[in-house]
Amino acid sequence: MATAPSEFVTLVSNDGFEFIVRRESAYVAGTIKRMLDPTSNFSEAVSGRCVFENINGVVLEKVCEYLYYNEKHRNAKDVPDMDIPPELCLELLMAADYLNGEGTILILEDRV
């Protein structure tokens, strides 16, 4: 009998910072969703832990913030801009591209 996946997953940066986020929030990022898919045979699907060797802690923290921001404003109109420091824009854009986040690039495209 298979156990149900945990409600939370752990995202780990290349410098060792760990962020525990709700699984449903993490699914906004297509790459994370595929990594955690039980039919994928990825180790992340079993452990519920995704390590990103190409994303540092500062950027991954902002990604996690976005995951919740997206969930909070999913069906809202006139959504306020998310606070993104200009010095993080390029790294966030690269992380968004890698993670295949729905709408993430739209938030960043007018800032780069």
Side-chain angles (χ1 to χ4, degrees), residues 37-55:
D37 181 356
T39 63
S40 70
N41 292 325
F42 291 134
S43 63
E44 292 86 356
V46 175
S47 68
R49 180 180 172 88
C50 301
V51 179
F52 298 102
E53 296 296 334
N54 56 347
I55 302 176

Side-chain angles (χ1 to χ4, degrees), residues 22-112:
R22 286 181 11 88
R23 182 177 292 266
E24 286 302 313
S25 299
Y27 281 177
V28 168
T31 300
I32 296 173
K33 185 175 183 177
R34 285 187 295 281
M35 291 168 82
L36 296 171
D37 181 356
T39 63
S40 70
N41 292 325
F42 291 134
S43 63
E44 292 86 356
V46 175
S47 68
R49 180 180 172 88
C50 301
V51 179
F52 298 102
E53 296 296 334
N54 56 347
I55 302 176
N56 68 42
V58 172
V59 173
L60 190 55
E61 179 179 27
K62 205 57 152 169
V63 167
C64 293
E65 185 180 322
Y66 170 76
L67 296 173
Y68 284 116
Y69 179 86
N70 179 278
E71 185 175 48
K72 178 180 179 182
H73 298 289
R74 181 170 292 144
N75 297 319
K77 294 184 191 252
D78 300 321
V79 176
D81 287 340
M82 187 175 156
D83 181 37
I84 299 173
E87 62 273 13
L88 287 182
C89 286
L90 182 58
E91 288 182 89
L92 278 170
L93 188 60
M94 292 188 307
D97 183 51
Y98 173 75
L99 294 172
N100 192 23
E102 299 170 4
T104 311
I105 292 177
L106 297 176
I107 288 175
L108 294 169
E109 71 182 2
D110 61 346
R111 295 197 167 127
V112 175

